[in-house]
Structure formats: C-alpha cells, structure tokens
Amino acid sequence: MDKNTCRVIPLATGQVRLYDFGAVKLHTYESGDSIQDQTLW
C-alpha cells in the first residue's frame, strides 16, 4: 500500500484527492483558498 499515491480531480474551486486502499476509499476536498480548508469523507 502506497499512502502517497492518489488520483487528483480538479474542480472549479479547489480539488478532490481520491485515495484507494482497496476496501476503503478516502476522498479529501482541498478548497485552495487562503486558509487551506480540507474536508475528509
């Protein structure tokens, strides 16, 4: 498992990074604004 490998999906504002660990997928949303908000789901 390589935890640094992910798929980056650019959005109009920010980006989504998709980490695939097989049975578990982690999505992170990075806002790209000045305070660098990040959401995990």
PDB file of all heavy atoms in Angstrom:
ATOM      1  N   MET A   1       0.845  -1.172   0.000  1.00  0.00           N
ATOM      2  CA  MET A   1       0.000   0.000   0.000  1.00  0.00           C
ATOM      3  C   MET A   1       0.893   1.239   0.000  1.00  0.00           C
ATOM      4  O   MET A   1       1.775   1.377   0.835  1.00  0.00           O
ATOM      5  CB  MET A   1      -0.898  -0.017   1.230  1.00  0.00           C
ATOM      6  CG  MET A   1      -1.660   1.257   1.424  1.00  0.00           C
ATOM      7  SD  MET A   1      -2.808   1.238   2.807  1.00  0.00           S
ATOM      8  CE  MET A   1      -1.714   1.350   4.175  1.00  0.00           C
ATOM      9  N   ASP A   2       0.664   2.120  -0.941  1.00  0.00           N
ATOM     10  CA  ASP A   2       1.401   3.374  -1.013  1.00  0.00           C
ATOM     11  C   ASP A   2       0.446   4.504  -0.671  1.00  0.00           C
ATOM     12  O   ASP A   2      -0.392   4.888  -1.470  1.00  0.00           O
ATOM     13  CB  ASP A   2       1.996   3.560  -2.403  1.00  0.00           C
ATOM     14  CG  ASP A   2       2.837   4.812  -2.512  1.00  0.00           C
ATOM     15  OD1 ASP A   2       3.021   5.509  -1.502  1.00  0.00           O
ATOM     16  OD2 ASP A   2       3.307   5.103  -3.616  1.00  0.00           O
ATOM     17  N   LYS A   3       0.557   5.033   0.540  1.00  0.00           N
ATOM     18  CA  LYS A   3      -0.390   6.055   1.001  1.00  0.00           C
ATOM     19  C   LYS A   3      -0.197   7.401   0.328  1.00  0.00           C
ATOM     20  O   LYS A   3      -0.991   8.295   0.508  1.00  0.00           O
ATOM     21  CB  LYS A   3      -0.325   6.212   2.510  1.00  0.00           C
ATOM     22  CG  LYS A   3       0.984   6.739   3.012  1.00  0.00           C
ATOM     23  CD  LYS A   3       0.965   6.846   4.510  1.00  0.00           C
ATOM     24  CE  LYS A   3       2.280   7.379   5.016  1.00  0.00           C
ATOM     25  NZ  LYS A   3       2.297   7.526   6.438  1.00  0.00           N
ATOM     26  N   ASN A   4       0.868   7.565  -0.454  1.00  0.00           N
ATOM     27  CA  ASN A   4       1.115   8.833  -1.130  1.00  0.00           C
ATOM     28  C   ASN A   4       0.586   8.845  -2.563  1.00  0.00           C
ATOM     29  O   ASN A   4       0.674   9.857  -3.237  1.00  0.00           O
ATOM     30  CB  ASN A   4       2.609   9.150  -1.115  1.00  0.00           C
ATOM     31  CG  ASN A   4       3.110   9.360   0.296  1.00  0.00           C
ATOM     32  OD1 ASN A   4       2.483  10.028   1.087  1.00  0.00           O
ATOM     33  ND2 ASN A   4       4.217   8.752   0.628  1.00  0.00           N
ATOM     34  N   THR A   5       0.058   7.730  -3.040  1.00  0.00           N
ATOM     35  CA  THR A   5      -0.490   7.660  -4.385  1.00  0.00           C
ATOM     36  C   THR A   5      -1.979   7.967  -4.336  1.00  0.00           C
ATOM     37  O   THR A   5      -2.730   7.352  -3.586  1.00  0.00           O
ATOM     38  CB  THR A   5      -0.280   6.254  -4.988  1.00  0.00           C
ATOM     39  OG1 THR A   5       1.113   5.971  -4.979  1.00  0.00           O
ATOM     40  CG2 THR A   5      -0.807   6.189  -6.397  1.00  0.00           C
ATOM     41  N   CYS A   6      -2.404   8.933  -5.130  1.00  0.00           N
ATOM     42  CA  CYS A   6      -3.817   9.280  -5.156  1.00  0.00           C
ATOM     43  C   CYS A   6      -4.177   9.833  -6.531  1.00  0.00           C
ATOM     44  O   CYS A   6      -3.310  10.192  -7.313  1.00  0.00           O
ATOM     45  CB  CYS A   6      -4.152  10.303  -4.075  1.00  0.00           C
ATOM     46  SG  CYS A   6      -3.400  11.905  -4.333  1.00  0.00           S
ATOM     47  N   ARG A   7      -5.465   9.884  -6.787  1.00  0.00           N
ATOM     48  CA  ARG A   7      -5.984  10.470  -8.023  1.00  0.00           C
ATOM     49  C   ARG A   7      -6.451  11.880  -7.686  1.00  0.00           C
ATOM     50  O   ARG A   7      -7.217  12.075  -6.745  1.00  0.00           O
ATOM     51  CB  ARG A   7      -7.145   9.621  -8.515  1.00  0.00           C
ATOM     52  CG  ARG A   7      -7.746  10.099  -9.793  1.00  0.00           C
ATOM     53  CD  ARG A   7      -8.793   9.113 -10.281  1.00  0.00           C
ATOM     54  NE  ARG A   7      -9.701   9.828 -11.137  1.00  0.00           N
ATOM     55  CZ  ARG A   7     -10.980   9.587 -11.250  1.00  0.00           C
ATOM     56  NH1 ARG A   7     -11.522   8.596 -10.584  1.00  0.00           N
ATOM     57  NH2 ARG A   7     -11.730  10.296 -12.048  1.00  0.00           N
ATOM     58  N   VAL A   8      -5.994  12.866  -8.442  1.00  0.00           N
ATOM     59  CA  VAL A   8      -6.369  14.258  -8.207  1.00  0.00           C
ATOM     60  C   VAL A   8      -7.435  14.659  -9.223  1.00  0.00           C
ATOM     61  O   VAL A   8      -7.246  14.481 -10.429  1.00  0.00           O
ATOM     62  CB  VAL A   8      -5.149  15.194  -8.320  1.00  0.00           C
ATOM     63  CG1 VAL A   8      -5.564  16.634  -8.121  1.00  0.00           C
ATOM     64  CG2 VAL A   8      -4.080  14.797  -7.322  1.00  0.00           C
ATOM     65  N   ILE A   9      -8.558  15.180  -8.726  1.00  0.00           N
ATOM     66  CA  ILE A   9      -9.665  15.607  -9.575  1.00  0.00           C
ATOM     67  C   ILE A   9      -9.826  17.114  -9.410  1.00  0.00           C
ATOM     68  O   ILE A   9     -10.294  17.577  -8.371  1.00  0.00           O
ATOM     69  CB  ILE A   9     -10.968  14.877  -9.180  1.00  0.00           C
ATOM     70  CG1 ILE A   9     -10.742  13.365  -9.214  1.00  0.00           C
ATOM     71  CG2 ILE A   9     -12.116  15.306 -10.067  1.00  0.00           C
ATOM     72  CD1 ILE A   9     -11.768  12.561  -8.474  1.00  0.00           C
ATOM     73  N   PRO A  10      -9.402  17.903 -10.399  1.00  0.00           N
ATOM     74  CA  PRO A  10      -9.517  19.356 -10.282  1.00  0.00           C
ATOM     75  C   PRO A  10     -10.974  19.807 -10.398  1.00  0.00           C
ATOM     76  O   PRO A  10     -11.754  19.248 -11.161  1.00  0.00           O
ATOM     77  CB  PRO A  10      -8.688  19.884 -11.447  1.00  0.00           C
ATOM     78  CG  PRO A  10      -8.541  18.752 -12.396  1.00  0.00           C
ATOM     79  CD  PRO A  10      -8.754  17.486 -11.634  1.00  0.00           C
ATOM     80  N   LEU A  11     -11.330  20.806  -9.600  1.00  0.00           N
ATOM     81  CA  LEU A  11     -12.677  21.388  -9.618  1.00  0.00           C
ATOM     82  C   LEU A  11     -12.568  22.874  -9.943  1.00  0.00           C
ATOM     83  O   LEU A  11     -11.473  23.428  -9.984  1.00  0.00           O
ATOM     84  CB  LEU A  11     -13.337  21.204  -8.249  1.00  0.00           C
ATOM     85  CG  LEU A  11     -13.453  19.775  -7.722  1.00  0.00           C
ATOM     86  CD1 LEU A  11     -13.952  19.792  -6.286  1.00  0.00           C
ATOM     87  CD2 LEU A  11     -14.363  18.954  -8.603  1.00  0.00           C
ATOM     88  N   ALA A  12     -13.702  23.512 -10.130  1.00  0.00           N
ATOM     89  CA  ALA A  12     -13.702  24.953 -10.384  1.00  0.00           C
ATOM     90  C   ALA A  12     -13.074  25.697  -9.210  1.00  0.00           C
ATOM     91  O   ALA A  12     -12.356  26.675  -9.399  1.00  0.00           O
ATOM     92  CB  ALA A  12     -15.122  25.447 -10.630  1.00  0.00           C
ATOM     93  N   THR A  13     -13.357  25.225  -8.000  1.00  0.00           N
ATOM     94  CA  THR A  13     -12.713  25.782  -6.801  1.00  0.00           C
ATOM     95  C   THR A  13     -12.088  24.640  -6.028  1.00  0.00           C
ATOM     96  O   THR A  13     -12.792  23.813  -5.486  1.00  0.00           O
ATOM     97  CB  THR A  13     -13.724  26.460  -5.866  1.00  0.00           C
ATOM     98  OG1 THR A  13     -15.038  26.225  -6.278  1.00  0.00           O
ATOM     99  CG2 THR A  13     -13.474  27.883  -5.645  1.00  0.00           C
ATOM    100  N   GLY A  14     -10.795  24.576  -6.009  1.00  0.00           N
ATOM    101  CA  GLY A  14     -10.099  23.542  -5.255  1.00  0.00           C
ATOM    102  C   GLY A  14      -9.934  22.253  -6.029  1.00  0.00           C
ATOM    103  O   GLY A  14      -9.985  22.227  -7.260  1.00  0.00           O
ATOM    104  N   GLN A  15      -9.760  21.168  -5.274  1.00  0.00           N
ATOM    105  CA  GLN A  15      -9.567  19.860  -5.883  1.00  0.00           C
ATOM    106  C   GLN A  15      -9.989  18.763  -4.925  1.00  0.00           C
ATOM    107  O   GLN A  15     -10.068  18.967  -3.724  1.00  0.00           O
ATOM    108  CB  GLN A  15      -8.102  19.664  -6.270  1.00  0.00           C
ATOM    109  CG  GLN A  15      -7.149  19.631  -5.110  1.00  0.00           C
ATOM    110  CD  GLN A  15      -5.702  19.536  -5.551  1.00  0.00           C
ATOM    111  OE1 GLN A  15      -5.407  19.522  -6.726  1.00  0.00           O
ATOM    112  NE2 GLN A  15      -4.794  19.474  -4.600  1.00  0.00           N
ATOM    113  N   VAL A  16     -10.262  17.591  -5.478  1.00  0.00           N
ATOM    114  CA  VAL A  16     -10.558  16.401  -4.688  1.00  0.00           C
ATOM    115  C   VAL A  16      -9.420  15.427  -4.916  1.00  0.00           C
ATOM    116  O   VAL A  16      -8.976  15.226  -6.048  1.00  0.00           O
ATOM    117  CB  VAL A  16     -11.904  15.763  -5.104  1.00  0.00           C
ATOM    118  CG1 VAL A  16     -12.093  14.409  -4.443  1.00  0.00           C
ATOM    119  CG2 VAL A  16     -13.057  16.677  -4.764  1.00  0.00           C
ATOM    120  N   ARG A  17      -8.918  14.846  -3.838  1.00  0.00           N
ATOM    121  CA  ARG A  17      -7.924  13.777  -3.941  1.00  0.00           C
ATOM    122  C   ARG A  17      -8.602  12.490  -3.509  1.00  0.00           C
ATOM    123  O   ARG A  17      -9.259  12.437  -2.474  1.00  0.00           O
ATOM    124  CB  ARG A  17      -6.720  14.052  -3.043  1.00  0.00           C
ATOM    125  CG  ARG A  17      -5.888  15.202  -3.519  1.00  0.00           C
ATOM    126  CD  ARG A  17      -4.711  15.415  -2.585  1.00  0.00           C
ATOM    127  NE  ARG A  17      -3.940  16.557  -3.016  1.00  0.00           N
ATOM    128  CZ  ARG A  17      -2.779  16.455  -3.667  1.00  0.00           C
ATOM    129  NH1 ARG A  17      -2.264  15.280  -3.925  1.00  0.00           N
ATOM    130  NH2 ARG A  17      -2.142  17.545  -4.039  1.00  0.00           N
ATOM    131  N   LEU A  18      -8.451  11.443  -4.312  1.00  0.00           N
ATOM    132  CA  LEU A  18      -9.068  10.155  -4.032  1.00  0.00           C
ATOM    133  C   LEU A  18      -7.967   9.144  -3.749  1.00  0.00           C
ATOM    134  O   LEU A  18      -7.141   8.852  -4.610  1.00  0.00           O
ATOM    135  CB  LEU A  18      -9.919   9.698  -5.221  1.00  0.00           C
ATOM    136  CG  LEU A  18     -10.498   8.297  -5.156  1.00  0.00           C
ATOM    137  CD1 LEU A  18     -11.388   8.136  -3.928  1.00  0.00           C
ATOM    138  CD2 LEU A  18     -11.267   7.984  -6.413  1.00  0.00           C
ATOM    139  N   TYR A  19      -7.958   8.656  -2.501  1.00  0.00           N
ATOM    140  CA  TYR A  19      -7.009   7.625  -2.092  1.00  0.00           C
ATOM    141  C   TYR A  19      -7.760   6.301  -2.092  1.00  0.00           C
ATOM    142  O   TYR A  19      -8.821   6.188  -1.485  1.00  0.00           O
ATOM    143  CB  TYR A  19      -6.472   7.914  -0.689  1.00  0.00           C
ATOM    144  CG  TYR A  19      -5.689   9.198  -0.599  1.00  0.00           C
ATOM    145  CD1 TYR A  19      -6.324  10.409  -0.334  1.00  0.00           C
ATOM    146  CD2 TYR A  19      -4.318   9.207  -0.777  1.00  0.00           C
ATOM    147  CE1 TYR A  19      -5.607  11.591  -0.245  1.00  0.00           C
ATOM    148  CE2 TYR A  19      -3.589  10.384  -0.690  1.00  0.00           C
ATOM    149  CZ  TYR A  19      -4.240  11.566  -0.429  1.00  0.00           C
ATOM    150  OH  TYR A  19      -3.527  12.733  -0.351  1.00  0.00           O
ATOM    151  N   ASP A  20      -7.219   5.289  -2.763  1.00  0.00           N
ATOM    152  CA  ASP A  20      -7.879   3.989  -2.872  1.00  0.00           C
ATOM    153  C   ASP A  20      -7.027   2.944  -2.160  1.00  0.00           C
ATOM    154  O   ASP A  20      -5.930   2.622  -2.600  1.00  0.00           O
ATOM    155  CB  ASP A  20      -8.061   3.618  -4.339  1.00  0.00           C
ATOM    156  CG  ASP A  20      -8.911   2.385  -4.533  1.00  0.00           C
ATOM    157  OD1 ASP A  20      -9.208   1.685  -3.541  1.00  0.00           O
ATOM    158  OD2 ASP A  20      -9.280   2.110  -5.682  1.00  0.00           O
ATOM    159  N   PHE A  21      -7.542   2.438  -1.039  1.00  0.00           N
ATOM    160  CA  PHE A  21      -6.844   1.425  -0.255  1.00  0.00           C
ATOM    161  C   PHE A  21      -7.509   0.056  -0.404  1.00  0.00           C
ATOM    162  O   PHE A  21      -7.470  -0.759   0.507  1.00  0.00           O
ATOM    163  CB  PHE A  21      -6.805   1.835   1.221  1.00  0.00           C
ATOM    164  CG  PHE A  21      -6.115   3.146   1.464  1.00  0.00           C
ATOM    165  CD1 PHE A  21      -6.836   4.264   1.837  1.00  0.00           C
ATOM    166  CD2 PHE A  21      -4.750   3.267   1.300  1.00  0.00           C
ATOM    167  CE1 PHE A  21      -6.214   5.471   2.068  1.00  0.00           C
ATOM    168  CE2 PHE A  21      -4.103   4.481   1.522  1.00  0.00           C
ATOM    169  CZ  PHE A  21      -4.835   5.577   1.908  1.00  0.00           C
ATOM    170  N   GLY A  22      -8.140  -0.183  -1.537  1.00  0.00           N
ATOM    171  CA  GLY A  22      -8.820  -1.459  -1.757  1.00  0.00           C
ATOM    172  C   GLY A  22     -10.240  -1.396  -1.225  1.00  0.00           C
ATOM    173  O   GLY A  22     -11.125  -0.832  -1.845  1.00  0.00           O
ATOM    174  N   ALA A  23     -10.455  -1.950  -0.038  1.00  0.00           N
ATOM    175  CA  ALA A  23     -11.799  -1.973   0.554  1.00  0.00           C
ATOM    176  C   ALA A  23     -12.234  -0.600   1.063  1.00  0.00           C
ATOM    177  O   ALA A  23     -13.415  -0.369   1.290  1.00  0.00           O
ATOM    178  CB  ALA A  23     -11.845  -2.980   1.702  1.00  0.00           C
ATOM    179  N   VAL A  24     -11.287   0.303   1.229  1.00  0.00           N
ATOM    180  CA  VAL A  24     -11.577   1.632   1.773  1.00  0.00           C
ATOM    181  C   VAL A  24     -11.119   2.698   0.792  1.00  0.00           C
ATOM    182  O   VAL A  24     -10.008   2.632   0.273  1.00  0.00           O
ATOM    183  CB  VAL A  24     -10.859   1.843   3.127  1.00  0.00           C
ATOM    184  CG1 VAL A  24     -11.068   3.243   3.638  1.00  0.00           C
ATOM    185  CG2 VAL A  24     -11.314   0.821   4.143  1.00  0.00           C
ATOM    186  N   LYS A  25     -11.982   3.679   0.543  1.00  0.00           N
ATOM    187  CA  LYS A  25     -11.628   4.824  -0.291  1.00  0.00           C
ATOM    188  C   LYS A  25     -11.773   6.089   0.554  1.00  0.00           C
ATOM    189  O   LYS A  25     -12.731   6.245   1.288  1.00  0.00           O
ATOM    190  CB  LYS A  25     -12.540   4.920  -1.504  1.00  0.00           C
ATOM    191  CG  LYS A  25     -12.313   3.824  -2.529  1.00  0.00           C
ATOM    192  CD  LYS A  25     -13.144   4.087  -3.748  1.00  0.00           C
ATOM    193  CE  LYS A  25     -13.018   3.180  -4.883  1.00  0.00           C
ATOM    194  NZ  LYS A  25     -12.466   1.961  -4.886  1.00  0.00           N
ATOM    195  N   LEU A  26     -10.794   6.975   0.464  1.00  0.00           N
ATOM    196  CA  LEU A  26     -10.819   8.225   1.204  1.00  0.00           C
ATOM    197  C   LEU A  26     -10.815   9.363   0.212  1.00  0.00           C
ATOM    198  O   LEU A  26      -9.976   9.425  -0.677  1.00  0.00           O
ATOM    199  CB  LEU A  26      -9.593   8.326   2.121  1.00  0.00           C
ATOM    200  CG  LEU A  26      -9.401   9.653   2.837  1.00  0.00           C
ATOM    201  CD1 LEU A  26     -10.528   9.882   3.843  1.00  0.00           C
ATOM    202  CD2 LEU A  26      -8.050   9.689   3.531  1.00  0.00           C
ATOM    203  N   HIS A  27     -11.804  10.266   0.343  1.00  0.00           N
ATOM    204  CA  HIS A  27     -11.892  11.457  -0.503  1.00  0.00           C
ATOM    205  C   HIS A  27     -11.510  12.663   0.351  1.00  0.00           C
ATOM    206  O   HIS A  27     -11.998  12.795   1.467  1.00  0.00           O
ATOM    207  CB  HIS A  27     -13.320  11.665  -1.008  1.00  0.00           C
ATOM    208  CG  HIS A  27     -13.817  10.568  -1.884  1.00  0.00           C
ATOM    209  ND1 HIS A  27     -14.218   9.355  -1.393  1.00  0.00           N
ATOM    210  CD2 HIS A  27     -13.977  10.511  -3.221  1.00  0.00           C
ATOM    211  CE1 HIS A  27     -14.619   8.590  -2.395  1.00  0.00           C
ATOM    212  NE2 HIS A  27     -14.481   9.272  -3.517  1.00  0.00           N
ATOM    213  N   THR A  28     -10.664  13.519  -0.162  1.00  0.00           N
ATOM    214  CA  THR A  28     -10.354  14.767   0.525  1.00  0.00           C
ATOM    215  C   THR A  28     -10.661  15.916  -0.420  1.00  0.00           C
ATOM    216  O   THR A  28     -10.339  15.854  -1.600  1.00  0.00           O
ATOM    217  CB  THR A  28      -8.879  14.860   0.972  1.00  0.00           C
ATOM    218  OG1 THR A  28      -8.036  14.897  -0.174  1.00  0.00           O
ATOM    219  CG2 THR A  28      -8.496  13.698   1.847  1.00  0.00           C
ATOM    220  N   TYR A  29     -11.307  16.932   0.111  1.00  0.00           N
ATOM    221  CA  TYR A  29     -11.569  18.146  -0.661  1.00  0.00           C
ATOM    222  C   TYR A  29     -10.660  19.230  -0.120  1.00  0.00           C
ATOM    223  O   TYR A  29     -10.667  19.511   1.083  1.00  0.00           O
ATOM    224  CB  TYR A  29     -13.030  18.596  -0.549  1.00  0.00           C
ATOM    225  CG  TYR A  29     -13.255  19.975  -1.107  1.00  0.00           C
ATOM    226  CD1 TYR A  29     -13.172  20.202  -2.470  1.00  0.00           C
ATOM    227  CD2 TYR A  29     -13.519  21.048  -0.277  1.00  0.00           C
ATOM    228  CE1 TYR A  29     -13.347  21.479  -2.989  1.00  0.00           C
ATOM    229  CE2 TYR A  29     -13.704  22.322  -0.786  1.00  0.00           C
ATOM    230  CZ  TYR A  29     -13.618  22.526  -2.144  1.00  0.00           C
ATOM    231  OH  TYR A  29     -13.776  23.785  -2.644  1.00  0.00           O
ATOM    232  N   GLU A  30      -9.867  19.818  -0.984  1.00  0.00           N
ATOM    233  CA  GLU A  30      -8.984  20.917  -0.618  1.00  0.00           C
ATOM    234  C   GLU A  30      -9.510  22.166  -1.306  1.00  0.00           C
ATOM    235  O   GLU A  30      -9.580  22.226  -2.524  1.00  0.00           O
ATOM    236  CB  GLU A  30      -7.560  20.606  -1.037  1.00  0.00           C
ATOM    237  CG  GLU A  30      -7.027  19.366  -0.341  1.00  0.00           C
ATOM    238  CD  GLU A  30      -5.694  18.903  -0.869  1.00  0.00           C
ATOM    239  OE1 GLU A  30      -5.138  19.540  -1.780  1.00  0.00           O
ATOM    240  OE2 GLU A  30      -5.204  17.888  -0.356  1.00  0.00           O
ATOM    241  N   SER A  31      -9.866  23.165  -0.505  1.00  0.00           N
ATOM    242  CA  SER A  31     -10.548  24.348  -1.029  1.00  0.00           C
ATOM    243  C   SER A  31      -9.669  25.230  -1.904  1.00  0.00           C
ATOM    244  O   SER A  31     -10.155  25.912  -2.789  1.00  0.00           O
ATOM    245  CB  SER A  31     -11.107  25.179   0.127  1.00  0.00           C
ATOM    246  OG  SER A  31     -10.048  25.675   0.925  1.00  0.00           O
ATOM    247  N   GLY A  32      -8.359  25.245  -1.638  1.00  0.00           N
ATOM    248  CA  GLY A  32      -7.470  26.084  -2.427  1.00  0.00           C
ATOM    249  C   GLY A  32      -7.560  27.562  -2.082  1.00  0.00           C
ATOM    250  O   GLY A  32      -7.015  28.401  -2.786  1.00  0.00           O
ATOM    251  N   ASP A  33      -8.255  27.894  -0.993  1.00  0.00           N
ATOM    252  CA  ASP A  33      -8.347  29.298  -0.597  1.00  0.00           C
ATOM    253  C   ASP A  33      -7.186  29.667   0.334  1.00  0.00           C
ATOM    254  O   ASP A  33      -6.294  28.858   0.589  1.00  0.00           O
ATOM    255  CB  ASP A  33      -9.700  29.608   0.049  1.00  0.00           C
ATOM    256  CG  ASP A  33      -9.947  28.833   1.332  1.00  0.00           C
ATOM    257  OD1 ASP A  33      -9.030  28.137   1.797  1.00  0.00           O
ATOM    258  OD2 ASP A  33     -11.058  28.933   1.860  1.00  0.00           O
ATOM    259  N   SER A  34      -7.201  30.869   0.849  1.00  0.00           N
ATOM    260  CA  SER A  34      -6.067  31.361   1.631  1.00  0.00           C
ATOM    261  C   SER A  34      -5.877  30.642   2.969  1.00  0.00           C
ATOM    262  O   SER A  34      -4.782  30.622   3.510  1.00  0.00           O
ATOM    263  CB  SER A  34      -6.202  32.854   1.866  1.00  0.00           C
ATOM    264  OG  SER A  34      -7.413  33.116   2.556  1.00  0.00           O
ATOM    265  N   ILE A  35      -6.934  30.039   3.535  1.00  0.00           N
ATOM    266  CA  ILE A  35      -6.768  29.320   4.804  1.00  0.00           C
ATOM    267  C   ILE A  35      -6.651  27.808   4.607  1.00  0.00           C
ATOM    268  O   ILE A  35      -6.543  27.061   5.575  1.00  0.00           O
ATOM    269  CB  ILE A  35      -7.896  29.664   5.806  1.00  0.00           C
ATOM    270  CG1 ILE A  35      -9.266  29.301   5.244  1.00  0.00           C
ATOM    271  CG2 ILE A  35      -7.827  31.096   6.229  1.00  0.00           C
ATOM    272  CD1 ILE A  35     -10.388  29.473   6.253  1.00  0.00           C
ATOM    273  N   GLN A  36      -6.647  27.352   3.368  1.00  0.00           N
ATOM    274  CA  GLN A  36      -6.404  25.948   3.022  1.00  0.00           C
ATOM    275  C   GLN A  36      -7.314  24.969   3.760  1.00  0.00           C
ATOM    276  O   GLN A  36      -6.851  24.026   4.390  1.00  0.00           O
ATOM    277  CB  GLN A  36      -4.936  25.599   3.270  1.00  0.00           C
ATOM    278  CG  GLN A  36      -3.972  26.311   2.358  1.00  0.00           C
ATOM    279  CD  GLN A  36      -4.169  25.945   0.894  1.00  0.00           C
ATOM    280  OE1 GLN A  36      -4.274  24.766   0.565  1.00  0.00           O
ATOM    281  NE2 GLN A  36      -4.222  26.923   0.028  1.00  0.00           N
ATOM    282  N   ASP A  37      -8.638  25.191   3.688  1.00  0.00           N
ATOM    283  CA  ASP A  37      -9.595  24.258   4.281  1.00  0.00           C
ATOM    284  C   ASP A  37      -9.448  22.887   3.642  1.00  0.00           C
ATOM    285  O   ASP A  37      -9.160  22.764   2.454  1.00  0.00           O
ATOM    286  CB  ASP A  37     -11.034  24.730   4.061  1.00  0.00           C
ATOM    287  CG  ASP A  37     -11.353  25.985   4.843  1.00  0.00           C
ATOM    288  OD1 ASP A  37     -10.739  26.171   5.904  1.00  0.00           O
ATOM    289  OD2 ASP A  37     -12.220  26.746   4.405  1.00  0.00           O
ATOM    290  N   GLN A  38      -9.676  21.840   4.446  1.00  0.00           N
ATOM    291  CA  GLN A  38      -9.643  20.476   3.926  1.00  0.00           C
ATOM    292  C   GLN A  38     -10.744  19.680   4.597  1.00  0.00           C
ATOM    293  O   GLN A  38     -10.950  19.768   5.798  1.00  0.00           O
ATOM    294  CB  GLN A  38      -8.287  19.841   4.211  1.00  0.00           C
ATOM    295  CG  GLN A  38      -8.103  18.512   3.527  1.00  0.00           C
ATOM    296  CD  GLN A  38      -6.691  17.979   3.689  1.00  0.00           C
ATOM    297  OE1 GLN A  38      -6.186  17.934   4.794  1.00  0.00           O
ATOM    298  NE2 GLN A  38      -6.083  17.586   2.614  1.00  0.00           N
ATOM    299  N   THR A  39     -11.493  18.912   3.796  1.00  0.00           N
ATOM    300  CA  THR A  39     -12.587  18.075   4.298  1.00  0.00           C
ATOM    301  C   THR A  39     -12.328  16.640   3.900  1.00  0.00           C
ATOM    302  O   THR A  39     -11.947  16.364   2.762  1.00  0.00           O
ATOM    303  CB  THR A  39     -13.920  18.546   3.693  1.00  0.00           C
ATOM    304  OG1 THR A  39     -14.115  19.920   3.991  1.00  0.00           O
ATOM    305  CG2 THR A  39     -15.071  17.750   4.263  1.00  0.00           C
ATOM    306  N   LEU A  40     -12.545  15.707   4.810  1.00  0.00           N
ATOM    307  CA  LEU A  40     -12.380  14.277   4.538  1.00  0.00           C
ATOM    308  C   LEU A  40     -13.745  13.620   4.544  1.00  0.00           C
ATOM    309  O   LEU A  40     -14.579  13.909   5.392  1.00  0.00           O
ATOM    310  CB  LEU A  40     -11.492  13.631   5.612  1.00  0.00           C
ATOM    311  CG  LEU A  40     -10.152  14.311   5.871  1.00  0.00           C
ATOM    312  CD1 LEU A  40      -9.472  13.659   7.059  1.00  0.00           C
ATOM    313  CD2 LEU A  40      -9.273  14.272   4.666  1.00  0.00           C
ATOM    314  N   TRP A  41     -13.979  12.710   3.610  1.00  0.00           N
ATOM    315  CA  TRP A  41     -15.206  11.911   3.630  1.00  0.00           C
ATOM    316  C   TRP A  41     -14.966  10.604   2.962  1.00  0.00           C
ATOM    317  O   TRP A  41     -14.069  10.377   2.243  1.00  0.00           O
ATOM    318  CB  TRP A  41     -16.409  12.637   3.050  1.00  0.00           C
ATOM    319  CG  TRP A  41     -16.501  12.705   1.568  1.00  0.00           C
ATOM    320  CD1 TRP A  41     -17.165  11.843   0.749  1.00  0.00           C
ATOM    321  CD2 TRP A  41     -15.927  13.706   0.698  1.00  0.00           C
ATOM    322  NE1 TRP A  41     -17.044  12.233  -0.546  1.00  0.00           N
ATOM    323  CE2 TRP A  41     -16.288  13.363  -0.618  1.00  0.00           C
ATOM    324  CE3 TRP A  41     -15.155  14.813   0.896  1.00  0.00           C
ATOM    325  CZ2 TRP A  41     -15.890  14.120  -1.719  1.00  0.00           C
ATOM    326  CZ3 TRP A  41     -14.772  15.543  -0.196  1.00  0.00           C
ATOM    327  CH2 TRP A  41     -15.134  15.198  -1.485  1.00  0.00           C
TER     328      TRP A  41
END
